[in-house]
Each structure stands twice: as C-alpha cells, then as structure tokens.
Amino acid sequence: MTSLAVFRKSPAKADRLCHFLKPRAAHYQQCDVPGFPELTLVLWAAERTSTALFLKLDGDDFIAVTGTLFFGDKTGPDAARALYDSFDINRFDWTGCTGQFVALIGKAGQLHMANDGLGGWKFYSDAEGSFASAGFLEALLLKDSLSFNPQGVYEYVFTGFVLGEATFLNEIMAVMPHHLLSWQGGAFKPVEKPTPLKATQRNSATFEDMLELQLSTLRNRFSKFARLQPDAVTSSVSGGFDSRLMIALFKETRLRPNLFVYGPDDDEDVPPSKALAAYFGLPLNHIDRRTFTAPETMPTVADALYYFDGWKDDGLNGFEHDIDDRKNRVKDATYMANGKCGEIYRHYYYQHVGRRGINLDAFVRSTFGRHIPQMVTSRFDRQAFEEGVTDAFRALTGFAGKRLSQGDLDYLYPKVRICHDAGRDIAVNHRFSHTLYPFVEPELSGPALALNYDERLYGKLEAHIIAAIDPGLVNVPSAYGYDLLKGPGLSYRLKMAASYHRPSWLRTAVPALKTMIGRASALDMAALPEAALIEDKTLPAMRHYFNMDSVCDRQTASRLYALEMLAQYFGVTND
C-alpha cells in the first residue's frame, strides 16, 4: 500500500528517505511539491504499484492519496478527483468521504493534508511544523535526532498506544482527530474542523425505530461497495456479532469474500467461523499459528520498520511470521476487510455508572492509566503519569467535568478507541493492500450513539439487525454460546455483572496483581524471537524505565523490544 510525506527541502533528509524506502518499494516517487518549490514530496507503495495515487491537475493543483478512499461509491482516481473538486478548507466537513486515508491536496495556491473523519489513519508532524507525514516511519527518517518521551513510553508499553497528540518520541506528534495540517508561513499548522461525529437525537424513538435507523445506515454504508468485483475481497472472521453482520451485508452487496480465521481447532472463534463460512457457501482458510515453522530467513530490523510502519500495537509479537502471513492473506484480493469496531452497537467501556455518573479521573486511571508498579524503575512518577493521561484524555474528548455519564462512555468508543487502539492496525494492514473497515465511519457511529443501555446490552439490537437481514443467520453457532436473539443465560449474566460492578480501584490494580501472581513464571527475555532484532540484549534504553526481571507478560515484553529496536537502530536517547 502507499504512504507519503512532504517536508521542507533538505537533500540530506531526501537522501535518507530514498536510501531506506526506494530499494524496497514497489513504487517510489520523489519530487518538488507543485506550486511549493520549498517542499519535497515522497510518495511510495510498499507492495503494489497501483496503490500509489497522484493526480496532477490544472496549473499547480494536485491531489495525492494514501489508504483506501471512497467518495460516494467512487474509488481510486475517480474518488481522489471528486475529493479535490469538493475540497474547500473553509467548508470541509468530510461529507462524501469514507474509508481510511490520508490526502495531500494542493488547490488554489494552498496546501493541506487531511485524513478520514474519525482519524482511523493517523498522520504526523513535529512541533516546528517542518513536515507532514502519513507514516510514522517517514517521520522517524525525517528527524535528525530522537529522544524518548517517558509518558509516551509508559503508556505504549502498558496499553499499546499513546493518548492524544503525543507519541513515545518527543520529536514526533500525532495530529488530533478532525484536524487538518495546512502549510502557512513556512510551517505545517493544525487547523481544527467540526467533528463529523454527530450523535443522532433519539427523542421518542422506539426499539423498532432504532432497528430501522441502524439497518438503514448500514445498508447505505455497504452500498458504496456495490461497484467492487464480487471476488475482490478477503476478510477475517470470528465467532462474534460483527463478522456475521459484515458478511451478511457483503452478501446483500453481492460480494463473496474469501474468509480466514486464526486459532487452533478448539479456539472459541474457529468452529463458529467454519459454520459461518458453510452457511454462506464461502471459502475459509483456517490458520493455526502453532503450525508455523521457523522461516529460513528471519525478517530484519529494516523489514520490521518497513512493513509495520515503525511499530505495532502489540510490539513485535509474531514478527517472524507476520509479514509473510499478511502478504498471503491478500495475494488474490484487492481489498482486505475487517469487522473491527462493530462494538459501536454494544457496550465496550462496560462498567457501572449510576445516576451521578462515574468519576472521570478514576475511569481514566483504570482504563488508560493502568500500570505495573513492580515493572517500573524509581524514575517513574505515578502522579505525573496519571495526570498526563488525564490531561491527554480531556484534550482529546473535550470533557471538562468531573463525572462521565453512560452516554459519555458510549461516545468514547468512536472518539478514542477507533483512532488509538484500532488505528495502528488500520495503518499496518494498509502496507499490504487496500482495506475495508466498514464500521469505522461517522455515518454509522453517529446514529449508533442514540442506542440506549438495554439495546446495547449483550448485543440485543445488533442481533435483531442480523435477523432482519437474514433470519437464519442468528441460528448459526457463535462464540458466545447462547441464542443471540434470546440473550444469555444466568451464568453468563452473573459473569458479566461481576465485571460491570468491579470498582475502579480494582480495575486499576488488576495488571499489578496479575504480575505478582506471575512472578514465578517471569519471561526469559533473551529467549524471545524478538531478541534477534537488537544487538545489545540487555535492552539498555528500556532498562532506564523498566525492571526487566519483573516482566512476565508476553505482549508487554514485545513492546519493550519494539522500543529498544528503535533506540538501537535510530540512536534514540533517553530524556
């Protein structure tokens, strides 16, 4: 897939990008930005030349796009041209745009970079506004020196992402959702636009009204895929609600995706996925990672940087097979589909709120500010860390009060989770092909915010949506083990009630408690496959922040290796 960066003209930086990217890329284009001779544009495609999209238009006008852009039901150059034609910085509100993308638009003597409405594809700059980049990798290559941001390091290692505009590096900043970057006065500056995430007002709507509304918006969303070739899509599936909802809507659009599922035979997702494929008569590739053998040639650091855009949310876990596996998923397809973020119709931040609401600070600490005291060195300042997380949360959401309502928690899913927790997966998967994330859209998230507590609980309304599309589909076995329309039995409800009523202090303490229990089985860090990617196996950069002897979680260890790899490859220093 494609990525792009534009930066103040610098032969040294242009050479760095060219030296790293051009030998590996299927397509590499470097040129002056039309109408802006002080800037250089780099546009490249990782695997498929056809995904590098640059349209030169009248005069010095142009548009370059990375990612998957739909404008109405248009795709490719037609969608890019439609976006260019409609673009006006004073009135831009993402109307007509769907998909996850970054676009660089030169029009009428102005230059702007924009991404999709929910910020599913993040883009980056720096405090000086010296560059605008659709990729984190390009940002790494464009900086002459790098240093770790301790707050970002702790957040990434413990959660897999960093809230707000910060990253784990002081010199690289993420652009906030519903912001554009505009070239003004010799620098890229953020320009805030009204969020396209607009909650539908429920008023006196009944359950049936909500069912009709959500189904209507879903069918309208999926209708934009009608012009795709029926066999152009491959799709991951699982045993949950969202896979069957997505596949049922694909069927209505006459798409017949090739399916794949991961896990051993007895994994909770595998039998339902096989049943789902059989129900629709679709091919299914069952992949059990335990059967993977060691590759003849291990991926290098450069491979990991190139294909993972510098980092993944789960660190480097499975890196030795991940690149080839992702290539194999899409070798016969144009698009890779994923039902991620279908939780817009259910409870995700599932905890007791009460009439007065939940304390904001306690919620943020227990959700985004969890940490493991045994793992951190004496340099860790708990109060500063928790305040940093809370400040970033408030800046991201706009919440100024002390308490959060149930509606606020529902709002957090499209506002926070999609652009942070899901966003990295979107960018990495785009390295390999165009992608379809149908649920990552404001046109679905806005109406979904009108759902009440009961309609979200146990997927009640989503089950009825599925039944309205295909009545027989709700009878296909799921990973939940209960009738989707009738809901769960008492034992499942009691299990969920225990989670729902778990106090914030206990949620915050869970990672530390698990670590205390797991100390006897601490990981042998040097024995992990990721160790092959770094020269100094003692992880000197990460030892500045963490006690390696206390690491007993596989995913946490992999994130530590990911940061150490960056430190040793780019010479990242500790702040």
Side-chain angles (χ1 to χ4, degrees), residues 259-483:
L259 308 180
F260 60 90
V261 64
Y262 288 94
D265 287 331
D266 58 353
D267 184 272
E268 65 176 9
D269 284 323
V270 171
S273 296
K274 290 181 176 179
L276 187 68
Y279 181 82
F280 284 113
L282 297 173
L284 175 71
N285 183 17
H286 172 205
I287 304 164
D288 186 347
R289 288 192 174 100
R290 298 177 308 173
T291 65
F292 287 172
T293 57
E296 292 184 10
T297 303
M298 289 284 279
T300 64
V301 172
D303 292 331
L305 292 169
Y306 181 77
Y307 284 106
F308 303 148
D309 192 33
W311 61 284
K312 296 191 299 174
D313 55 3
D314 61 352
L316 294 167
N317 196 15
F319 83 96
E320 65 271 29
H321 306 294
D322 201 5
I323 296 170
D324 286 342
D325 183 36
R326 290 176 190 253
K327 288 180 181 180
N328 288 333
R329 291 182 207 171
V330 297
K331 64 182 178 181
D332 298 318
T334 306
Y335 295 89
M336 179 168 61
N338 193 302
K340 187 181 285 286
C341 301
E343 292 109 331
I344 57 173
Y345 300 112
R346 305 193 302 281
H347 292 294
Y348 183 77
Y349 299 111
Y350 183 61
Q351 49 191 284
H352 182 62
V353 174
R355 293 182 179 178
R356 295 181 57 243
I358 188 172
N359 180 274
L360 183 146
D361 291 341
F363 170 80
V364 173
R365 284 196 303 270
S366 66
T367 306
F368 306 109
R370 293 189 293 178
H371 61 281
I372 303 172
Q374 306 95 309
M375 264 188 60
V376 294
T377 66
S378 59
R379 295 178 176 86
F380 180 77
D381 184 330
R382 174 179 175 177
Q383 181 176 346
F385 172 70
E386 292 179 345
E387 289 176 353
V389 173
T390 301
D391 290 346
F393 177 85
R394 289 186 181 278
L396 180 64
T397 61
F399 291 153
K402 295 183 178 180
R403 307 193 77 81
L404 299 172
S405 67
Q406 182 62 54
D408 292 335
L409 292 190
D410 296 337
Y411 178 75
L412 293 181
Y413 189 86
K415 185 67 176 178
V416 178
R417 174 169 163 77
I418 285 178
C419 64
H420 287 81
D421 201 10
R424 185 91 292 239
D425 185 59
I426 289 169
V428 171
N429 276 336
H430 268 101
R431 278 290 200 263
F432 301 88
S433 74
H434 286 291
T435 70
L436 303 176
Y437 285 80
F439 300 118
V440 183
E441 296 294 343
E443 69 175 290
L444 297 184
S445 297
L449 288 174
L451 299 181
N452 63 31
Y453 178 88
D454 183 61
E455 289 161 348
R456 292 175 177 274
L457 189 61
Y458 310 129
K460 178 180 178 180
L461 187 124
E462 190 170 3
H464 281 79
I465 293 174
I466 293 169
I469 298 170
D470 185 338
L473 186 53
V474 290
N475 297 319
V476 176
S478 76
Y480 303 112
Y482 59 79
D483 185 304

Side-chain angles (χ1 to χ4, degrees), residues 174-212:
V175 180
M176 295 281 269
H178 62 87
H179 283 67
L180 284 65
L181 287 177
S182 295
W183 182 248
Q184 303 173 12
F188 285 102
K189 298 179 180 179
V191 177
E192 184 175 7
K193 306 299 291 183
T195 176
L197 179 62
K198 296 177 174 61
T200 298
Q201 297 303 308
R202 184 180 184 106
N203 300 321
S204 59
T206 64
F207 179 90
E208 289 72 21
D209 294 333
M210 282 290 104
L211 174 61
E212 182 178 351

